[in-house]
Amino acid sequence: MQKVLMLEGKFVDKIWGGERLKEEFAYDIESDSVGEYWAVSAMEEFPSLIINGELAGEDLIEVYKNNRELFGNPKEETFPLLVKIIDAKEDLSIQVHPDDQMGKRLENSLGKTECWYILNDNESSIIYGLNAKDKDEAVKLINERKWKDVLKEVPAKNGDFFFVPAGTVHAIKKGCLILEIQQSSDITYRLYDYDRKDKDGNLRDLHIEKSIEAIKLNDIDNKTETSVDGDLRLTKLTDNEFFQVRKYEIKGNKSLNRDSDYLIEAVIDGAGELNVDGEKYQIKKGDFFILTNLVSTYEFAGDLTIVESNVVNNK
């Protein structure tokens, strides 16, 4: 069976999208309003395609369902993670996602805990949490529409990392380019949208009651841990109940051991080579692939920055 799954995702137009995915990743895109690249997805709306080997042409939904051994025979019935690149030419709405319990109860869906690795070199910012001592104060300020008082805005530039657990009020602001790793869910509650109107002159739908129910004032620690081992600089970004994420900066060669059932790889800069059991794959910025359970060791060579993620095994 196939050891490496090279992936091709889907581009999604958004009213706030732009052209940076085409400009900075050299993707073949005709649209000038792409907001998201669903790079690693087994969601029904935009599933990724396998583009190499015997499974070429199948989507990740099929492969995960029919080849469970490639993923360590997981207990999850659906592929649990979703990886995107987001290009915000304009501000996104102020929003919040439900946790697993609320998502199951109201939407028959997973909740949505996510994280952001910031790719833009330009100065930008995000909304990241609330200025309130407790939820009662937060709800009071929201009901009074005191957005400038209640929303916490922080800078966001290349190399910054933000863990966004379910219940955290957040928004990606104009100028951000972000690698997003999240639970496999597309449930979003829109709390505020700057009173913007769509092309038909209508205000976009808000989900005030669900948003307020979902809100949590999470105490978040975004401290990362970096170590250097020869040609590898490793930064551990997050280790939470849903997924682990780390960044590899490689200048030369580095052999690694697979220590999870399968690994999701995102090449965010540079170019080089992946070597698995003597089979070589040319990889470059913008490539995404999965190292399956059949891989024991793997080697990266070149000048590469890779963000690697895996689901946390709860067997």
Side-chain angles (χ1 to χ4, degrees), residues 40-106:
V40 184
S41 167
M43 299 283 285
E44 292 286 348
E45 305 96 311
F46 306 111
S48 302
L49 284 179
I50 316 303
I51 57 172
N52 72 307
E54 62 198 82
L55 296 172
E58 295 189 36
D59 67 36
L60 189 54
I61 299 172
E62 299 173 273
V63 171
Y64 186 79
K65 178 182 178 181
N66 298 327
N67 302 274
R68 307 283 286 175
E69 68 280 5
L70 297 183
F71 304 91
N73 294 306
K75 67 183 182 69
E76 297 93 351
E77 288 301 312
T78 57
F79 192 78
L81 297 183
L82 171 61
V83 182
K84 303 176 183 176
I85 306 177
I86 297 173
D87 170 20
K89 188 176 181 180
E90 302 294 339
D91 293 345
L92 276 67
S93 61
I94 310 299
Q95 54 192 239
V96 62
H97 306 303
D99 62 16
D100 279 353
Q101 291 72 32
M102 185 176 177
K104 177 67 174 176
R105 176 168 51 87
L106 296 183

Side-chain angles (χ1 to χ4, degrees), residues 21-246:
L21 293 178
K22 177 168 41 180
E23 295 166 354
E24 300 198 23
F25 288 87
Y27 291 134
D28 184 13
I29 307 172
E30 292 184 7
S31 171
D32 60 1
S33 58
V34 171
E36 297 181 341
Y37 178 47
W38 290 41
V40 184
S41 167
M43 299 283 285
E44 292 286 348
E45 305 96 311
F46 306 111
S48 302
L49 284 179
I50 316 303
I51 57 172
N52 72 307
E54 62 198 82
L55 296 172
E58 295 189 36
D59 67 36
L60 189 54
I61 299 172
E62 299 173 273
V63 171
Y64 186 79
K65 178 182 178 181
N66 298 327
N67 302 274
R68 307 283 286 175
E69 68 280 5
L70 297 183
F71 304 91
N73 294 306
K75 67 183 182 69
E76 297 93 351
E77 288 301 312
T78 57
F79 192 78
L81 297 183
L82 171 61
V83 182
K84 303 176 183 176
I85 306 177
I86 297 173
D87 170 20
K89 188 176 181 180
E90 302 294 339
D91 293 345
L92 276 67
S93 61
I94 310 299
Q95 54 192 239
V96 62
H97 306 303
D99 62 16
D100 279 353
Q101 291 72 32
M102 185 176 177
K104 177 67 174 176
R105 176 168 51 87
L106 296 183
E107 317 290 350
N108 193 30
S109 168
L110 292 175
K112 188 175 174 183
T113 284
E114 59 192 16
C115 66
W116 299 338
Y117 183 86
I118 309 298
L119 300 171
N120 48 277
D121 289 323
N122 55 287
E123 292 288 334
S124 190
S125 64
I126 60 170
I127 300 297
Y128 188 57
L130 299 175
N131 293 308
K133 67 178 182 294
D134 55 32
K135 184 166 178 175
D136 287 342
E137 182 185 17
V139 172
K140 180 176 181 292
L141 291 168
I142 288 167
N143 286 334
E144 293 172 352
R145 297 175 61 84
K146 292 184 177 178
W147 302 113
K148 288 187 177 180
D149 294 334
V150 73
L151 298 175
K152 186 183 296 182
E153 186 169 354
V154 300
K157 64 182 186 306
N158 192 297
D160 290 343
F161 178 81
F162 300 93
F163 178 50
V164 189
T168 305
V169 173
H170 62 276
I172 297 171
K173 301 281 282 180
K174 178 179 180 178
C176 281
L177 187 67
I178 290 176
L179 176 72
E180 179 178 87
I181 297 163
Q182 59 162 94
Q183 288 181 273
S184 191
S185 166
D186 199 33
I187 304 300
T188 294
Y189 300 142
R190 195 177 295 129
L191 181 63
Y192 177 56
D193 195 36
Y194 314 99
D195 297 319
R196 291 185 294 196
K197 295 182 179 179
D198 63 21
K199 60 180 174 24
D200 298 319
N202 301 313
L203 294 171
R204 291 209 291 169
D205 289 340
L206 300 179
H207 317 96
I208 304 297
E209 290 185 8
K210 287 182 177 180
S211 294
I212 287 175
E213 182 181 346
I215 287 172
K216 299 178 184 181
L217 270 66
N218 293 304
D219 184 16
I220 307 170
D221 182 1
N222 280 321
K223 291 180 181 176
T224 60
E225 179 184 329
T226 300
S227 60
V228 178
D229 178 12
D231 293 330
L232 172 69
R233 180 182 176 90
L234 165 64
T235 303
K236 295 179 181 178
L237 298 173
T238 184
D239 183 353
N240 61 75
E241 63 181 301
F242 301 107
F243 47 78
Q244 298 170 323
V245 184
R246 56 208 153 265

